[in-house]
Amino acid sequence: NAGVTQTPKFQVLKTGQSMTLQCAQDMNHNSMYWYRQDPGMGLRLIYYSASEGTTDKGEVPNGYNVSRLNKREFSLRLESAAPSQTSVYFCASEWEAAYGYTFGSGTRLTVV
Amino acid sequence: GIQVEQSPPDLILQEGANSTLRCNFSDSVNNLQWFHQNPWGQLINLFYIPSGTKQNGRLSATTVATERYSLLYISSSQTTDSGVYFCAVGLFYGGSQGNLIFGKGTKLSVKP
């Protein structure tokens, strides 16, 4: 099915461990985004990629790195996980603003 | 940065009732989107509406950009309308760089 695919769906990490969240879209979208959602906080932008080969920081980038591997894939890496990074992470993609975001189904991450 | 405020934070309706959700934003924008997050966490784009009025079935939205607010109308509500409704705004220059700032959402519960 066309859309945005995120893996894994659930993950539990110990403090200090590292991991990479994967995101892939098959809609030939130019822009891709990583958001985190915390209770009562809405969604906050972590990093975005306006096009293949470019990445920029969003509102809450500390503790994260990203890679736009190609037009389809945009990964988010936690180098040394902290309990404050416990959250639900959403990847989104967009062709043009007028067509709106398409979101993946999210990754629920718990850091203990 | 742009501030986004949504009201009310919570709303409980009987099935069949109508409702209006409001989104106020603090600065000029040229990107405004409404999203529905269902009880399973999936985020669905409802409208791209930086100005004007759009309708899609029982849902419609109006944005008055000069007065910096948008309204989402839900008519004849159904239990499947339950979830959280997010307003998100942004300012972009050309192409597809549509970074969005999200409000904290309105949680809607529709009772049978």
Side-chain angles (χ1 to χ4, degrees):
Chain A
N1 291 338
V4 179
T5 302
Q6 289 186 237
T7 55
K9 295 191 183 302
F10 301 94
Q11 183 72 49
V12 179
L13 289 179
K14 294 182 179 179
T15 297
Q17 287 185 319
S18 62
M19 79 161 295
T20 299
L21 281 64
Q22 306 287 351
C23 176
Q25 53 89 10
D26 58 4
M27 298 172 286
N28 201 34
H29 286 177
N30 292 317
S31 301
M32 299 185 73
Y33 307 86
W34 276 106
Y35 283 85
R36 61 178 286 173
Q37 183 177 27
D38 302 296
M41 297 291 292
L43 283 81
R44 292 181 292 169
L45 182 65
I46 305 171
Y47 271 92
Y48 66 96
S49 171
S51 61
E52 184 179 356
T54 68
T55 62
D56 285 287
K57 296 178 180 179
E59 180 185 357
V60 288
N62 291 345
Y64 306 95
N65 286 301
V66 290
S67 296
R68 183 75 181 266
L69 305 171
N70 47 54
K71 192 170 186 178
R72 290 186 64 248
E73 300 173 287
F74 188 38
S75 61
L76 179 71
R77 182 161 179 84
L78 287 71
E79 292 291 352
S80 178
S84 60
Q85 295 177 305
T86 293
S87 188
V88 180
Y89 291 85
F90 286 97
C91 177
S93 70
E94 176 189 66
W95 182 43
E96 288 184 354
Y99 291 87
Y101 277 23
T102 299
F103 277 95
S105 58
T107 295
R108 185 174 295 274
L109 175 68
T110 302
V111 183
V112 298
Chain B
I2 300 173
Q3 304 296 314
V4 184
E5 293 185 3
Q6 292 186 243
S7 61
D10 296 279
L11 186 59
I12 300 174
L13 298 175
Q14 286 297 127
E15 200 168 25
N18 302 329
S19 62
T20 301
L21 283 59
R22 187 177 179 100
C23 172
N24 292 332
F25 45 96
S26 62
D27 209 341
S28 298
V29 300
N30 59 8
N31 189 351
L32 190 148
Q33 300 182 30
W34 283 96
F35 297 88
H36 175 224
Q37 185 170 39
N38 66 25
W40 297 271
Q42 182 66 42
L43 283 153
I44 303 298
N45 186 288
L46 298 175
F47 293 104
Y48 166 79
I49 187 164
S51 64
T53 298
K54 288 186 178 179
Q55 182 160 3
N56 185 3
R58 296 180 295 103
L59 273 61
S60 63
T62 295
T63 298
V64 184
T66 54
E67 297 187 21
R68 300 181 183 169
Y69 74 89
S70 183
L71 302 174
L72 179 68
Y73 305 96
I74 304 174
S75 64
S76 303
S77 58
Q78 301 175 357
T79 56
T80 52
D81 295 330
S82 296
V84 182
Y85 289 81
F86 289 103
C87 169
V89 304
L91 189 64
F92 68 94
Y93 304 92
S96 58
Q97 185 170 324
N99 299 348
L100 293 177
I101 305 300
F102 281 74
K104 295 184 178 181
T106 291
K107 184 176 181 180
L108 175 64
S109 299
V110 181
K111 305 298 184 183

